[in-house]
Amino acid sequence: MNRLPSRRPKIRIATVKDASQLAQIYTDAFAPVTAADVRRSMKRKDARAERIVAVVDGRVVASVTVIYFDLVVDGVPIRTGAIAGVATSWSYRRQGLATMLMRAAIKRIRAQGISNSSLFTGVQLPAKRIYERLGYSETSRWLRLADIRKPVDVLKRVFDERSRWLPRTPFAGPALKRWRERVLYDSDGWRATVTFDGKQFVVQAGRRGNPTIVMRGPTHPLIVSSWNRFAYDRHVKRGTIRVAGPRGACEFWRRIVTQEWVE
Amino acid sequence: MRIRAMRSRDASGVASVYEACASVSAGLLSRNPERWKLLRRQRGWKGIWIVAEDHGRIVGYGLGLLQKGQADIGEIIWSPEHEGTALGQRLLDEVVRRLNNESPAIVSIWGMAGSATFKLSKPRELEPLEATGIFMAKAIDAHLLLRDAKRVLEKRKVRGLAVEVDRKSVVIGRGARVAVRVSMAKNVLFGLLLGLRTLKGEIARGGVRYSPKKPEALKLLSEAFPERVFWIEDAW
């Protein structure tokens, strides 16, 4: 684990006043979130929740949410402390803040007489290693079965989400300002060209102009690789999908496609 | 029995079906009226709710969700007494039919590996995509967990089982004579209680040790930790 910031973070429970700073952290970590969204979720009535935050120099830099639910086992309620929204500000990552907050969360859960904690995380997220170190074990994998009927429309949806998020992040925003490549998806029975116009990604059906990068492969692997880093790397390694183009451009494209920055 | 769109007056019937499932299964979330309200009004999504009605009583329900060309099959739930009657399949087919009317770009279903809804989905020819999420759990405190386990196992009418976790133990059944002793790690006990781990699998890999090694002991353990009956993909 990396060292904690030189000034020891203060750990406390977040209040509604922290909503705008939390919104920035969540936007860095997950997707665009507004302060109003955070305030709304802080007032949720379906379950009691508390956000534990780390504060450095008066600023909220990391957060973990504990939601108290009842799991029903044969009609018997068992309280669980569900962990959610583990997020750290971009400039404070890899300093052990998430681990520190998780430990504080577990302590709070135990102090309330709750026997267990549970959480849900993405397969591709390295946060899984933090949870394993803290004693969480994988109990089941979640899968998605799909019938992809209009792959170009699905890609449009995927890149619409990227457009709303990536240009606004401190990690991808500056690089995307200079990025003017053209990417061709070439599959069985369909083609699509992806470009970035300086503000957002544009997905058009068919081949448009001269592509810098060409991605070839069957529909499912191509689409799945657009949101799963492990799938992307595995399919490229196996040759199920083939990515051709200048090395530097391909590497940056991989980061755009797989959103590796989420880490 | 008929399958039709849900009406606002069906809300209590739908909640009753869920509660009936929760009373015979493991690991479902308890839902208060606020949680149901959140489910019914998911922001940005159009929800398609259908119910199965039998002689004026709601016996099952299905949920489909639509957002900008993406169609997701949500919960497909039927009451325990209709297990094995193909009601689940009928509900799923109806949800998919209604989603298809909106000409989605992608139809998908998402849930735990092995879930009952996945079995229903096979005939729909949905292809598996990569695993996307992992459910992880941690038993924090052996003493508190044994207290929870005792409540659940007594509800399952188990008697005479001594459960040991981290050198702490509890005997199930007030005043019962210990017939079987079983020991395991706390994460294993938690997984078995929720049906996320199987007794057979844990015995095979040495995660559960019991004595005496007799068929009667195994029978008692199977009653204590049965296989999960219903799978509902509650995510929080």
Side-chain angles (χ1 to χ4, degrees), chain A residues 93-209:
Chain A
R93 290 188 180 191
R94 298 187 175 277
Q95 296 182 27
L97 286 168
T99 304
M100 191 179 180
L101 287 175
M102 283 293 295
R103 287 210 171 100
I106 292 166
K107 209 170 157 186
R108 284 191 75 82
I109 294 167
R110 187 202 297 256
Q112 303 201 31
I114 297 170
S115 68
N116 67 88
S117 170
S118 45
L119 62 87
F120 187 71
T121 187
V123 165
Q124 75 275 26
L125 299 180
K128 184 174 169 251
R129 288 198 296 269
I130 297 178
Y131 305 138
E132 282 169 343
R133 269 204 304 269
L134 291 167
Y136 287 83
S137 60
E138 180 178 335
T139 56
S140 57
R141 291 225 156 189
W142 288 46
L143 307 170
R144 192 169 178 194
L145 308 184
D147 177 6
I148 299 168
R149 297 168 181 183
K150 299 172 189 169
V152 180
D153 287 355
V154 175
L155 275 186
K156 278 182 183 163
R157 189 186 155 83
V158 167
F159 283 98
D160 275 353
E161 283 172 12
R162 303 280 196 282
S163 297
R164 281 197 295 276
W165 184 48
L166 286 179
R168 292 170 55 181
T169 58
F171 36 95
L176 275 172
K177 274 186 186 154
R178 300 184 299 272
W179 203 73
R180 291 290 178 276
E181 313 299 352
R182 196 173 282 272
V183 182
L184 175 70
Y185 276 80
D186 187 354
S187 188
D188 323 317
W190 65 275
R191 281 173 165 189
T193 306
V194 183
T195 50
F196 187 76
D197 68 5
K199 284 183 181 170
Q200 58 187 10
F201 291 97
V202 179
V203 179
Q204 294 167 291
R207 181 187 173 124
R208 306 289 173 110

Side-chain angles (χ1 to χ4, degrees), chain B residues 12 23 30 50 78 82 86 98 119 131 147 157 159 161 172 182-183 187 204 206 224 231-232:
Chain B
S12 61
S23 70
S30 171
I50 57 164
W78 58 96
H82 285 79
R98 289 176 187 233
K119 286 171 196 153
R147 180 201 63 188
K157 310 232 184 289
R159 276 181 70 80
L161 180 66
I172 313 302
V182 62
S183 70
N187 269 4
W231 296 71
I232 304 173

Side-chain angles (χ1 to χ4, degrees), chain B residues 43-73:
Chain B
R43 291 178 73 222
W45 290 81
K46 177 185 173 186
I48 292 173
W49 285 84
I50 57 164
V51 292
E53 187 187 44
D54 190 16
H55 297 95
R57 195 168 69 94
I58 305 299
V59 292
Y61 67 91
L63 168 63
L65 292 161
L66 275 157
Q67 188 193 52
K68 293 176 189 166
Q70 180 178 330
D72 281 0
I73 300 163

